[in-house]
């Protein structure tokens, strides 16, 4: 390795990619913008390649930058684990993380992230809470959680919080196998059946409303408003309910044939899923390890396929 490369070069590069622009990265590393620009220029000169392009919108990785980014993340992760692992007792006491996980993530992504963390950071003590968007945002703001992972909420719910987009997810419309609507799966027919519908505070509520409006369909009169995925699974499988739910919540049931997704175009319901933290809080070692584990799982292609009408799980920045 070129001896001119220093840790500050790698840290600056990774933080710029994470934040999406130089100004926020400089603030996160307690540097001035000219200083972080010089650091990036030094790194690009040392490696002999342009790693990113800059514009008013922010930064975008070049092909060489994309290649280097994965190795840079792994290098920082290994260093963090090595430093924390010098004292097993200290690591066990210091490396802890309180994670809030929205239902779509709890069912689909979190099991694989936890498995990844058990391999990469076995001493990281995780505490996982689940619940609706409003509940978890309240816990995050009150410092009862360190990070929340799930769908981006309405702008008024995100004040004072930072959001890093991971992928896009849509809403699935699901029923039990053999449901009468499967003979003619038209969205206009949902009013003929009980409908499990997101509550006003649910992150997917405005997306479901948008889908119905676009098809000229009134909000179902026979609706049961809930964010309980446990109730939704049982009630849908036992009767003729039609359930509007984030794809991630029921991806496994769809893949295993326990629920059937109606073949509808739900592109309008796509929304970003990402990591949410308090904007004023610098990233801790535990948060870094968690974020890197999430990114590795997503890069490997996590969980059952998303089904019709969804975007692929490609990393992005928001």
């Amino acid at each position: 390795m070129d001896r001119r490369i220093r840790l500050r070069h790698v840290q600056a590069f990774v933080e710029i990619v994470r934040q999406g622009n130089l100004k926020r990265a400089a603030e996160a590393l307690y540097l001035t913008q000219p200083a972080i620009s010089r650091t990036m220029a030094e790194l690009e000169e040392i490696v002999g390649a342009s790693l990113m392009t800059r514009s008013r919108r922010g930064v975008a990785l070049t092909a060489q930058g994309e290649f280097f980014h994965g190795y840079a993340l792994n290098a920082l992760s290994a260093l963090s684990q090595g430093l924390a692992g010098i004292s097993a007792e200290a690591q066990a006491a210091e490396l802890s993380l309180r994670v809030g996980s929205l239902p779509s993530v709890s069912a689909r992504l979190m099991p694989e992230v936890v498995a990844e963390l058990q391999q990469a950071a076995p001493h990281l003590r995780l505490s996982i809470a689940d619940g609706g968007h409003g509940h978890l945002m309240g816990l995050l703001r009150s410092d009862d959680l360190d990070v929340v992972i799930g769908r981006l909420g309405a702008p008024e719910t995100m004040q004072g919080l930072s959001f890093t987009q991971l992928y896009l997810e849509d809403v699935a419309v699901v029923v039990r196998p053999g449901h009468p609507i499967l003979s003619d799966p038209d969205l206009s027919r949902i009013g003929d059946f009980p409908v499990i519908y997101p509550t006003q505070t649910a992150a997917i509520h405005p997306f479901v409303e948008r889908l119905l409006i676009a098809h000229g369909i009134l909000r179902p009169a026979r609706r049961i408003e809930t964010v309980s995925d446990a109730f939704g699974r049982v009630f849908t499988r036992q009767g003729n309910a039609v359930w509007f739910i984030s794809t991630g919540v029921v991806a496994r049931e769809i893949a295993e044939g326990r629920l059937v997704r109606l073949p509808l175009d739900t592109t309008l319901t796509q929304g970003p899923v990402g990591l949410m933290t308090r904007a004023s809080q610098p990233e801790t070692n535990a948060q870094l390890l968690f974020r890197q584990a999430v990114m590795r799982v997503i890069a490997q292609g996590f969980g059952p396929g998303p089904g019709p009408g969804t975007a692929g799980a490609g990393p992005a920045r928001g």
Side-chain angles (χ1 to χ4, degrees):
M1 188 180 82
D2 195 312
R3 294 184 179 181
R4 293 175 295 169
I5 293 182
R6 298 286 185 265
L7 179 60
R8 62 184 176 85
H9 292 122
V10 181
Q11 286 178 317
F13 172 69
V14 168
E15 192 63 29
I16 291 170
V17 176
R18 187 175 84 87
Q19 297 290 346
N21 68 48
L22 293 174
K23 182 180 178 182
R24 288 199 299 267
E27 291 171 352
L29 294 174
Y30 300 99
L31 298 172
T32 64
Q33 193 166 334
I36 202 169
S37 295
R38 284 196 303 272
T39 301
M40 270 307 304
E42 290 171 5
L43 177 60
E44 290 179 322
E45 182 179 355
I46 292 168
V47 301
S50 173
L51 300 177
M52 60 180 63
T53 58
R54 292 86 161 168
S55 69
R56 290 184 178 180
R57 290 184 172 182
V59 298
L61 289 175
T62 63
Q64 293 92 335
E66 290 277 6
F67 177 80
F68 181 65
H69 185 234
Y71 290 98
L73 284 174
N74 288 336
L76 288 180
S77 176
L79 181 59
S80 295
Q81 292 172 46
L83 290 172
I86 291 174
S87 167
E89 289 184 4
Q91 185 182 43
E94 294 174 6
L95 279 186
S96 63
L97 190 68
R98 302 163 301 171
V99 179
S101 176
L102 269 75
S104 62
V105 175
S106 295
R108 186 180 181 196
L109 178 63
M110 277 300 292
E112 297 188 38
V113 171
V114 171
E116 177 73 18
L117 277 170
Q118 288 178 332
Q119 294 291 323
H123 296 290
L124 176 61
R125 180 164 48 86
L126 273 180
S127 173
I128 302 174
D130 62 8
H133 187 274
H135 173 65
L136 294 182
M137 292 301 99
L139 293 177
L140 181 60
R141 283 198 178 82
S142 63
D143 197 23
D144 291 309
L145 290 175
D146 301 308
V147 60
V148 172
I149 180 169
R151 203 181 250 256
L152 177 66
E156 61 269 18
T157 69
M158 297 299 297
Q159 292 180 8
L161 302 177
S162 172
F163 180 84
T164 301
Q165 183 174 319
L166 299 171
Y167 58 93
L168 294 175
E169 180 178 63
D170 74 342
V171 174
V173 187
V174 298
V175 296
R176 64 168 175 82
H179 191 288
I181 201 173
L182 292 172
S183 63
D184 181 18
D186 191 313
L187 194 62
S188 64
R189 295 186 63 204
I190 62 170
D192 298 337
F193 308 97
V195 176
I196 305 177
Y197 204 78
T199 62
Q200 288 268 352
T201 58
I204 66 170
H205 183 271
F207 295 92
V208 173
E209 296 271 281
R210 180 191 304 170
L211 178 68
L212 296 185
I213 291 170
H215 286 81
I217 300 171
L218 296 175
R219 189 183 300 167
R222 296 172 61 193
R223 66 184 183 277
I224 304 161
E225 297 189 359
T226 181
V227 293
S228 172
D229 54 294
F231 169 81
R233 284 186 176 91
V234 174
F235 194 73
T236 302
R237 290 174 62 188
Q238 288 183 348
N240 285 337
V242 177
W243 188 14
F244 287 86
I245 187 65
S246 290
T247 300
V249 175
V250 290
R252 197 167 302 279
E253 283 84 356
I254 294 171
E256 294 173 356
R258 286 177 283 143
L259 290 173
V260 179
R261 178 172 184 162
L262 299 186
L264 306 171
D265 182 1
T266 55
T267 305
L268 282 175
T269 67
Q270 286 180 358
V273 173
L275 296 171
M276 289 160 271
T277 58
R278 292 182 295 281
S280 59
Q281 175 189 342
E283 187 174 52
T284 64
N285 283 342
Q287 287 174 329
L288 173 64
L289 291 170
F290 180 75
R291 178 168 57 81
Q292 290 171 342
V294 170
M295 297 300 289
R296 286 196 297 272
V297 169
I298 290 174
Q300 293 162 11
F302 68 94
T310 53
R317 293 284 161 189

